[in-house]
Amino acid sequence: MAGHSKWKQIKHKKALTDNRRAATWTKKIREITVAAKEGGGDPAGNPRLRLAIDNAKAVNMPNENIDRAIKKGTGELEGVNYEEITYEAYGPAGVAIMIESLTDNGNRTVADIRRWLSRNGGNLGTTGSVAWMFDRRGQISIDAARHDEETVMEAALEAGALDVESGEDGFTVLTEVADFHAVQDALRAAGITWEDAELAMIPKTEVRVEGPDADQLVKLLELLEELDDVQQVYTNADVDTDSLAEV
């Protein structure tokens, strides 16, 4: 299992037991607001907003919350101005970490990120220090209990997907950024639903992480993702889940 999918698998298992809906909604609302501000409030003409709304609905966010977030982005309601900042870092065992944030206070955000890194075997890198280890790709996660591999693979590859990876709990469809929405539309037309979809940072190569390093890395990634200002965290770690103290 590729490193990016393994981390998503760990997060999914923890989400089943942890009550994180409020924090998840906060991040989805920020993304909707920024998407609406950048590209307008009509999802039909704003692919980023359409994706943000789809992801908000996937975590059962009420329509009224979505509408309010859009209006804050378009200026119909008073809202906060968020800045998109990506931080590059190193974690335990020298793994690369990409941290994407939406923040109204960059000084606060970088201080919080630096604190958790320093306490958990990591450190901030300079701009460009680890970004070259990743490619921006469309990533669509599909539950194997709901759809069979042959159907998913046929629909995805015919629509121009780069690859379909099979994992323990489902399939991950990878696309070029330019083909992301076309592949989503093809999957939808084929009656295929997905657990989540995003434009993600996919590692070109992976670093195997085991034992105490794996435990410390997972703890660090969790702490970073729990920060209100942090939207997504990506790593090139191939985490050995069997060696984790608790998943």
Side-chain angles (χ1 to χ4, degrees):
M1 171 83 68
H4 63 282
S5 297
K6 183 61 70 70
W7 172 230
K8 289 179 72 70
Q9 173 190 337
I10 294 170
K11 289 196 293 182
H12 176 69
K13 288 183 177 180
K14 287 183 174 292
L16 296 177
T17 57
D18 294 350
N19 182 16
R20 294 179 176 173
R21 187 175 70 169
T24 298
W25 281 13
T26 297
K27 296 177 190 293
K28 302 300 184 188
I29 286 171
R30 287 192 184 189
E31 174 61 20
I32 291 170
T33 299
V34 171
K37 181 179 180 180
E38 285 195 348
D42 180 8
N46 185 342
R48 179 174 179 178
L49 178 59
R50 185 166 68 248
L51 176 61
I53 292 172
D54 285 345
N55 288 336
K57 289 182 175 179
V59 293
N60 301 314
M61 184 182 293
N63 287 332
E64 62 185 43
N65 295 52
I66 294 173
D67 292 340
R68 191 180 306 115
I70 292 173
K71 289 178 179 178
K72 286 183 178 180
T74 58
E76 296 173 70
L77 294 176
E78 185 177 353
V80 177
N81 289 321
Y82 294 110
E83 181 183 6
E84 296 183 80
I85 305 176
T86 298
Y87 301 93
E88 303 177 39
Y90 297 94
V95 304
I97 302 173
M98 296 287 291
I99 306 162
E100 296 181 347
S101 72
L102 289 176
T103 178
D104 61 342
N105 186 329
N107 291 333
R108 177 192 65 221
T109 304
V110 72
D112 289 341
I113 289 172
R114 183 179 286 114
R115 180 176 69 252
W116 288 134
L117 286 167
S118 64
R119 292 180 181 180
N120 294 279
N123 60 277
L124 272 178
T126 57
T127 300
S129 59
V130 303
W132 62 273
M133 302 181 196
F134 297 81
D135 288 318
R136 177 71 75 177
R137 294 281 186 262
Q139 180 176 267
I140 305 168
S141 301
I142 298 169
D143 187 352
R146 303 179 66 181
H147 304 285
D148 66 90
E149 183 175 8
E150 183 177 352
T151 301
V152 171
M153 189 166 293
E154 181 178 354
L157 296 181
E158 283 189 1
L162 290 172
D163 194 14
V164 178
E165 298 179 350
S166 297
E168 181 179 321
D169 300 316
F171 315 110
T172 300
V173 178
L174 297 175
T175 78
E176 296 282 7
V177 172
D179 298 327
F180 178 57
H181 295 293
V183 173
Q184 280 188 298
D185 290 341
L187 292 173
R188 189 181 289 111
I192 298 169
T193 57
W194 49 84
E195 301 300 299
D196 59 63
E198 63 176 317
L199 293 174
M201 298 299 290
I202 308 299
K204 297 177 182 178
T205 58
E206 297 159 0
V207 176
R208 183 70 169 174
V209 184
E210 303 173 320
D213 283 339
D215 286 321
Q216 188 175 37
L217 175 62
V218 169
K219 178 183 177 183
L220 170 60
L221 297 176
E222 287 181 322
L223 289 168
L224 291 172
E225 287 208 333
E226 287 173 0
L227 292 172
D228 288 342
D229 296 337
V230 171
Q231 293 293 103
Q232 297 288 351
V233 178
Y234 304 105
T235 177
N236 68 345
D238 180 8
V239 180
D240 178 16
T241 55
D242 293 334
S243 72
L244 293 177
E246 180 181 353
V247 176

